[in-house]
């Protein structure tokens, strides 16, 4: 089984630079998306992950290739960190048929079979039962795989959160619930939506193993992720990981952010996961200025290539409109 | 549920469904039945009685009262390699999992650009007639037929009760099977070797020249009863069993209407927006010029089903109402 | 405000005999209902409360006339204990227009405006949000009323349980959630449906005040109910009261009870709340044989009168079928 | 959402709805607005922007992500004496509260034998056209119109956006208001004194002799555009705005069809089972002999809405498709 046997992240220079690269890829990719949105190259809803990159980045190294992932409409970072090609993601943002979902889904519905990326679910809470089901399938087939479900703290108020956590704990399903607690559900602050604001305690009420971790610290997230995945893969039941984080940008492109102060945003930006990890690598001498420059150069180039790829992409013919509503039947 | 005594060779609709489930579980190790009280209790309508002993609690899986949770889990399990049969006790409770059905089961294949299909079978009981009052007497199959991405079947005969489940389990996409509660005790004899049936075509259950009565499920038997009575007064009624409500078999419907030039549509949904409206409209679109009279429909009155027998009967389609409608379209 | 100032039940002879009378009224009423069901005077689903009488009986004395009650399909006991006339309840069981809901609801939908009895909800979990809403209305209107919601432990798995408890705690609503934990949801035992089987702990995870009480001890229930209602009425927020009890009869009239042993049922019957309280009254000299005889005589007579009343009741004319789907508009 | 600059005297559809809410809150202290992000965020479509400051958090009540919970709470609050306006952000999420709508809001009056009405107004956004893809582009108003016990309205004009809410708040039963997302930015001038409007009758928005185009909501404007274009080629189209989808105003529809003898029905629901089928059927039932040609309908293609603009447009009704349908029924 391809699962990492050791649950501690090895902060080799190589691994460290990879973590930094992943976070930077997400950041630069999304900064470009915001730009493209104003140019109307990308339409619909666009939810940026900027500020939260450490979570998807720290989580993915703990997974094996066969593990399944279910994410939300704020999933570009997860798709990139999981290994969906940036070209395919950018083309999907454009709605081109070279996109990961052949353009049908757009920003909120990135799906990718090769990396077991099950979307891209835009109904808050809607992904949790599905993730539990994937885990059920793995367990019933005696497969060593794990299902990982990402969702925001706002989803914790939904009935499906309750039903899914109970099912997972009751049936000891191999699923890791990763709650990205960025303190707001659109404009609704945590304390306005939850009587119990300590999210990871909720999991305990289902007798589920849980912990809370600093979601702005990629190393802490990776360590926690390895603990969680290791626990789950060893058949000990589900695991709930709350990652405390913050959304630096608006909820979507239509958000005046009347609900929070500039100060609050600025304070959190001091904890920017990329800057923070970068500084640490610098001071600890693991990485040097030249490394950062190379990284920036490479990532900027990759983003540029993805834009070129998407621009060069093609529109699916209108004649194919009804495609993929049903699976073509094998001619019998 | 009292089982009618069934003599050698004969069985009930309930037993036919049970036989189909048993065969499916014997045939495919990836198939399992999941739902409320399907195991220890034996199923709210005793359909799965005895299967727990035969297949064990993993494959005859009792769930908590969490409709959205276990239907969503069925979707995930289906994508994860299993072949779930999810039983939602009755369609009255399916409103609680409608988000999972419409926003996930029906859309994932499309949203993912054809990467992920959801081979899920959902069974539910439907229909009124047992004096269960306003919250337990819905007939929603026709309403569900509005949703692209799923298939809707409604077995009316023993052969279909048994065969449609087998066929549904060969379908790569979600299939919802609606079993009318008034049919479970219906008994008859059936070829022991009966298996999968074609579900693409409607069936002419009685052929006639004067008028086409188009129906399905529990109403089929009311329609046949009406047809028999009308035959006495020399009216030759053709009765069509739609069998599959989505997609509708337009060809069989039009062929019949072009022959009889008159149609009465019978279904147990509330009149406004019931599937009879869709069928009427398709006849108007495809066979308008062959019509010799307006199409009539016999549906359920627009009232939540009342508890008292006389009021419930008055609210539902009946052979008498069907006869009256036939006389109306025949003008005699 | 008519709320009891003292939260301790006064076990005067009068009050004690009233408690015993209420439990006996429910018991004898339902025994008669079971009999009438076999005679097909009562149809549809019939869920008996026998064995659980101490809960409704102990709860009601803690309420004022303006407090609102929401119950389930197993609500005959609650309606009777709340003061809905036995005649009106029995007539409703018959479906006669002299019934509390004019016969439209039947056994599962007893409603009664004068006693603020909001039904009779047959969708498991469906009553919880409604009760929270009634409490919200009281709070916003600065009324001293309390809403009480009865439901079974099976409802705890439903998403609506989660959403309602959070709303109630978050908004500090004056609602008492009374969970009647009879260990089974139809045939599904608690440990098969909940990862955390200690129900009252669930409430704590919403930061809601909660306690668990012996639901077979009417005095213990009344004491707990007074604590709960007093807490809530004083604006301290919602209260969750778990009453541990047991259903002596089948879930409904269609239940073979394959899921539990006769021994288990017998053991629980030793704790019959009526026998237990009666014995205590006898030994403690509060009540004497003659009191019991009088009680039995009076209750038996009342039940007989209710049957006569229901028998003499009339059927609503079929012409009125569509009545009460919408509220008649004031002629304008 | 960028507000179009609105000069003196003119306002947007969004502002019209806001004005109606403000008036209602000023008029009746029992009225309040509750939903996700209606307060601090200002409403997902900025409808309630500014109202929090004016009326405070009790009456402009942000809710957690708990659709079933807060809609059910709205039902309870309505029965408890309040006059709630519940905003379900969009009909895409309303599937999560459909049980509360169908099994409680729509049935309680009937189940209770007329004792309890539910004076609840639910507002939701509906419709596609913003490239929000498969889970965020539903048009379910016609589908909801199947449910007895509720009223469905779909304001298409500024006057109706403002007036229908006032009228709905005078209705003793549940009213669902569907606001098309493409209309929020529509601006125009409106009589400042405009208030409640009659919602029992459909409106002839353009009178014509040759064909009746029957529609509502967002499709009204597409239909009027088509009518204008057709006028150039000498085709005189009558355009009817249904306004209320349940109950339908048969009289106005039949009057028009009897005059023009031809009908095209336009709605944004998926074709099969869309409300156009119900309207077609009523015309067949009530005006069959006045028809000179088959009725045509223009609906949404049977596909979950795809993200790319060209595919979304191809899936939806358009002026061009409406023109084509008119030519078809006219045979020229
Ligand atoms: C069931 C449902 N209700 C409402 C919405 C609208 N909506 C989209 S995102 C969002 C906030 C979700 O917040 P959270 O779960 O914390 O995730 P975040 O956006 O903060 O990452 C809301 C209310 C939705 N998509 N689904
Ligand atoms: C949403 C829903 N799912 C399923 C049912 C069928 N059903 C009726 S009662 C019941 C068991 C409920 O158990 P519990 O909540 O413990 O209450 P009890 O019957 O034990 O008093 C079930 C599954 C229902 N009525 N509603
Ligand atoms: Mg959040
Ligand atoms: Mg129970």
């Amino acid at each position: 089984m391809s699962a990492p046997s050791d649950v501690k992240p090895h902060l080799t220079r190589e691994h460290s630079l990879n973590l930094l690269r992943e976070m930077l890829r997400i950041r630069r990719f999304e900064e470009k998306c915001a730009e493209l949105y104003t140019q109307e190259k990308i339409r619909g809803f666009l939810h940026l992950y900027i500020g939260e990159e450490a979570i998807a980045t720290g989580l993915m190294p703990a997974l094996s290739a066969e593990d399944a992932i279910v994410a939300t409409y704020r999933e570009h970072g997860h798709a990139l960190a999981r290994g969906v090609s940036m070209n395919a993601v950018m083309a999907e943002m454009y709605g081109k048929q070279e996109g990961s979902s052949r353009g049908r889904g757009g920003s909120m519905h990135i799906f990718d079979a090769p990396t077991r990326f099950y979307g891209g679910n835009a109904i808050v809470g809607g992904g949790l039962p599905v993730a539990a089901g994937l885990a059920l399938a793995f367990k019933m087939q005696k497969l060593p795989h794990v299902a990982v479900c990402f969702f925001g703290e706002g989803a914790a108020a939904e009935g499906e959160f309750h039903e899914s956590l109970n099912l997972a704990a009751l049936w000891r399903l191999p699923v890791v619930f990763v709650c990205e607690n960025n303190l707001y559900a659109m404009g609704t602050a945590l304390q306005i939506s939850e009587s119990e604001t300590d999210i990871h305690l909720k999991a305990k009420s289902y007798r589920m193993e849980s912990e809370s971790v600093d979601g702005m610290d990629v190393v802490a997230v990776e360590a926690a992720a390895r603990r969680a995945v290791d626990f789950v893969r060893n058949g000990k039941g589900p695991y709930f990981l709350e990652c405390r984080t913050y959304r630096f940008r608006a909820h979507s492109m239509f958000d005046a952010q009347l609900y929070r102060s500039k100060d609050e945003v600025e304070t959190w930006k001091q904890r920017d996961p990329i800057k923070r990890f970068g500084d640490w690598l610098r001071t600890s001498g693991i990485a040097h200025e030249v490394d950062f420059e190379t990284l920036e150069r490479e990532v900027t180039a990759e983003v540029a290539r993805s834009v070129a790829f998407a621009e060069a992409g093609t529109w699916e013919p209108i004649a194919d409109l009804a495609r993929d509503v049903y699976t073509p039947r094998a001619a019998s | 549920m009292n089982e009618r005594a069934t003599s050698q060779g004969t069985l009930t609709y309930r037993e036919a469904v049970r036989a189909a489930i048993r065969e499916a579980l014997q045939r495919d190790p990836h198939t399992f039945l999941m739902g409320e009280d399907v195991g220890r209790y034996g199923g709210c309508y005793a359909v799965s009685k005895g299967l727990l002993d035969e297949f064990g609690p993993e494959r005859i899986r009792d769930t908590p009262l969490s409709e959205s949770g276990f239907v969503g889990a069925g979707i995930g399990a289906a994508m994860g390699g299993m072949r779930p049969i999810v039983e939602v006790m009755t369609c009255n409770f399916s409103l609680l999992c409608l988000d999972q059905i419409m926003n996930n089961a029906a859309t994932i294949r499309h949203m993912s650009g054809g990467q992920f299909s959801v081979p899920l079978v959902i069974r539910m009981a439907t229909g009124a007639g047992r004096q269960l009052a306003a919250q337990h007497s819905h007939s929603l199959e026709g309403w569900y037929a509005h949703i692209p991405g799923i298939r809707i079947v409604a077995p009316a005969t023993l052969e279909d009760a048994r065969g449609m489940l087998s066929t549904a389990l060969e379908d790569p996409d979600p299939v919802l099977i609606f079993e009318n509660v008034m049919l479970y005790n219906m008994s008859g004899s059936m070829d022991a070797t009966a298996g999968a049936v074609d579900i693409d075509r409607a069936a002419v259950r009685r052929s006639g020249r004067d008028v086409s009565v188009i129906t399905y499920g529990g109403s089929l038997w009311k329609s046949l009863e009406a047809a028999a009575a009308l035959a006495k007064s020399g009216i030759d009624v053709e009765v069509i069993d739609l069998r599959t409500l989505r997609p509708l078999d337009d060809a069989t419907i039009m062929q019949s209407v072009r022959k009889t030039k008159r149609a009465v549509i019978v279904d147990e949904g509330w009149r406004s927006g019931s599937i009879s409206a869709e069928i009427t409209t398709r006849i108007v679109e495809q066979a308008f010029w062959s019509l010799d009279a307006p199409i009539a429909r016999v549906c359920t009155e627009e009232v939540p089903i009342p508890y008292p027998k006389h009021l419930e009967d008055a609210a539902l389609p009946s052979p008498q109402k069907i006869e009256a409608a036939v006389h109306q379209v025949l003008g005699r």
Side-chain angles (χ1 to χ4, degrees), chain A, chain B:
Chain A
M1 156 177 123
S2 55
S5 53
D6 184 340
V7 304
K8 282 223 161 321
H10 298 286
L11 280 183
T12 60
R13 172 180 149 84
E14 190 198 356
H15 184 57
S16 303
L17 286 176
N18 281 338
L19 290 176
L20 187 62
R21 172 188 301 273
E22 281 310 328
M23 292 196 287
L24 204 63
R25 288 178 74 231
I26 298 169
R27 178 72 54 95
R28 298 290 176 256
F29 175 85
E30 288 200 326
E31 285 166 347
K32 174 59 71 176
C33 288
E35 201 182 304
L36 293 163
Y37 194 88
T38 60
Q39 296 167 27
E40 303 198 343
K41 296 283 189 178
I42 298 173
R43 310 295 304 269
F45 282 152
L46 176 65
H47 306 90
L48 301 180
Y49 195 54
I50 291 176
E52 312 184 23
E53 298 93 338
I55 301 169
T57 303
L59 211 297
M60 299 305 172
L63 302 183
S64 69
E66 298 76 15
D67 294 336
I69 291 153
V70 177
T72 71
Y73 47 85
R74 196 181 299 284
E75 87 286 28
H76 316 135
H78 310 79
L80 292 173
R82 175 57 171 177
V84 183
S85 90
M86 191 180 285
N87 286 354
V89 179
M90 185 60 87
E92 189 61 35
M93 311 290 287
Y94 270 66
K96 298 290 183 78
Q97 56 186 336
E98 291 74 14
S100 57
S101 302
R102 250 194 30 265
R104 292 275 169 143
S107 163
M108 301 197 290
H109 304 303
I110 310 281
F111 283 79
D112 185 61
T115 57
R116 306 277 199 280
F117 198 79
Y118 290 87
N121 193 306
I123 302 298
V124 172
L128 279 82
V130 174
L134 284 158
L136 175 62
F138 298 154
K139 181 169 185 163
M140 291 185 79
Q141 293 170 93
K142 306 207 167 18
L143 295 168
H145 316 334
V146 164
V148 178
C149 185
F150 294 89
F151 55 92
E153 89 294 338
E158 290 282 3
E160 292 189 319
F161 171 92
H162 177 67
E163 297 184 0
S164 303
L165 264 64
N166 181 48
L167 276 187
L170 183 68
W171 293 345
R172 297 176 60 83
L173 301 178
V175 54
V176 179
F177 292 105
V178 181
C179 180
E180 304 182 309
N181 179 1
N182 60 11
L183 301 176
Y184 292 90
M186 279 183 71
T188 303
L190 181 56
Q191 64 278 14
I192 291 168
S193 72
E194 292 291 340
S195 59
E196 171 56 79
T197 53
D198 194 341
I199 302 284
H200 87 287
L201 285 185
K202 295 178 181 292
K204 296 236 183 292
S205 75
Y206 302 91
R207 298 186 166 277
M208 189 183 298
E209 198 69 24
S210 80
E211 71 173 289
S212 179
V213 64
D214 177 359
M216 308 304 273
D217 176 346
V218 67
V219 179
V221 172
E222 183 179 349
R226 290 185 181 277
R227 275 193 299 278
V229 173
D230 190 64
F231 179 93
V232 170
R233 212 184 293 280
N234 287 323
K236 298 188 189 156
Y239 199 100
F240 189 96
L241 183 59
E242 175 194 2
C243 302
R244 303 210 164 141
T245 184
Y246 198 79
R247 158 168 62 71
F248 290 177
R249 299 290 187 101
H251 165 73
S252 73
M253 308 307 278
F254 298 117
D255 171 8
Q257 300 188 64
L258 309 167
Y259 50 84
R260 62 183 190 181
S261 70
K262 291 219 167 13
D263 288 3
E264 180 183 293
V265 179
E266 285 317 310
T267 324
W268 273 93
K269 282 188 175 169
Q270 299 315 309
R271 301 177 49 193
D272 184 321
I274 297 179
K275 185 176 177 313
R276 199 165 151 200
F277 187 55
D279 291 349
W280 180 81
L281 290 178
R282 202 179 269 102
T283 50
S284 60
I286 295 175
H288 313 286
E289 220 38 56
V290 51
D291 299 314
F292 295 99
E293 286 156 14
T294 325
L295 249 171
E296 275 292 353
R297 203 170 46 248
E298 289 171 358
V299 169
T300 311
E302 186 187 9
V303 171
R305 278 197 306 279
S306 75
V307 174
F309 178 84
E311 287 286 344
T314 56
W315 299 115
E316 189 172 9
I318 286 175
D320 291 356
L321 177 61
R323 187 173 157 186
D324 290 331
V325 179
Y326 295 95
T327 308
R329 310 268 201 95
S332 55
Chain B
M1 268 330 70
N2 303 351
E3 201 78 20
R4 276 203 212 150
T6 59
S7 70
Q8 188 58 291
T10 77
L11 81 176
T12 60
Y13 183 101
R14 169 183 298 106
E15 292 166 330
V17 177
R18 184 184 305 144
I21 297 172
R22 176 182 289 115
E23 283 162 16
L25 267 67
Q26 287 167 342
R27 195 186 320 119
D28 178 0
H30 291 94
T31 301
F32 68 104
L33 176 70
M34 157 165 77
E36 291 160 11
D37 290 305
V38 294
R40 284 112 185 136
Y41 191 89
C44 65
Y45 283 104
V47 167
S48 49
K49 202 165 177 177
L51 297 181
L52 176 64
D53 300 337
E54 189 173 346
F55 298 100
E58 283 279 304
R59 298 186 68 197
I60 303 296
R61 185 174 287 266
D62 281 320
T63 64
L65 275 131
S66 306
E67 286 76 9
S68 208
F70 67 75
V71 168
I75 293 167
M79 291 196 291
M82 295 299 286
R83 205 48 170 105
I85 302 170
V86 172
E87 176 178 312
V88 175
M89 280 186 169
T90 77
C91 68
N92 307 289
F93 317 139
S94 71
L95 300 170
L96 289 161
C97 48
L98 197 39
D99 170 67
Q100 285 296 329
I101 293 172
M102 191 187 290
N103 283 323
N104 282 342
T107 62
I108 283 175
R109 180 171 168 82
H110 182 263
M111 291 191 298
S112 67
Q115 293 180 90
F116 297 107
S117 294
V118 180
L120 170 68
V121 171
I122 299 177
R123 292 177 43 244
M124 35 182 135
T126 186
R130 295 180 164 278
Q131 288 190 250
L132 302 184
Q135 293 181 325
H136 277 59
S137 304
H138 300 317
S139 293
L140 301 179
E141 56 280 1
W143 200 56
Y144 270 98
H146 179 55
I147 307 170
I150 60 178
R151 178 188 277 267
I152 307 290
V153 300
T157 65
L158 298 178
E159 289 70 17
D160 279 351
R162 179 166 177 168
M164 282 182 165
L165 180 60
S166 312
T167 316
L169 287 167
E170 290 161 11
D171 197 295
D173 300 311
V175 179
L176 274 59
I177 305 179
F178 289 82
E179 299 161 4
N180 188 289
V181 291
M182 301 306 286
L183 299 181
Y184 282 123
N185 292 337
M186 177 178 74
S187 69
S189 59
M190 195 177 81
D191 177 352
T193 68
V197 294
D198 155 68
I199 56 176
D200 295 331
R201 312 277 301 168
V204 178
R205 297 294 183 194
R206 174 193 175 110
S207 80
R209 286 182 325 277
D210 300 334
V211 56
S212 304
V213 172
I214 302 162
T215 184
Y216 69 88
S219 303
L220 170 65
W221 305 102
K222 297 176 180 177
S223 301
L224 288 169
E225 189 180 329
L230 289 158
K232 298 202 185 65
S233 38
I235 297 171
D236 189 15
V237 179
E238 177 149 299
V239 179
I240 292 180
D241 174 4
L242 293 166
R243 302 178 68 241
T244 292
L245 303 187
R246 184 180 185 96
L248 284 167
D249 174 10
D250 291 356
T252 302
I253 295 169
M254 300 313 152
Q255 193 174 27
S256 176
V257 174
R258 290 207 180 84
K259 178 177 69 174
T260 63
K261 308 202 168 351
R262 291 177 159 80
V264 170
I265 303 161
V266 184
D267 83 89
E268 213 181 289
W270 288 302
R271 186 178 182 89
S272 291
S274 86
I275 194 158
S276 61
E278 177 60 24
I279 296 161
T280 301
T281 302
R282 291 189 184 205
I283 294 172
V284 167
E285 289 169 333
Q286 301 172 44
F288 183 75
W289 300 114
S290 13
L291 287 174
D292 281 351
I295 297 162
R297 52 180 171 168
V298 179
C299 306
T300 292
E301 300 302 322
E302 316 227 27
V303 52
I305 302 299
Y307 163 66
K309 181 100 174 62
H310 68 297
L311 292 179
E312 179 177 46
D313 288 346
L316 301 175
S318 67
Q320 296 67 31
K321 290 181 183 179
I322 298 168
E323 286 181 56
V326 167
H327 283 300
Q328 180 198 317
V329 299
L330 281 166
R332 52 170 163 133

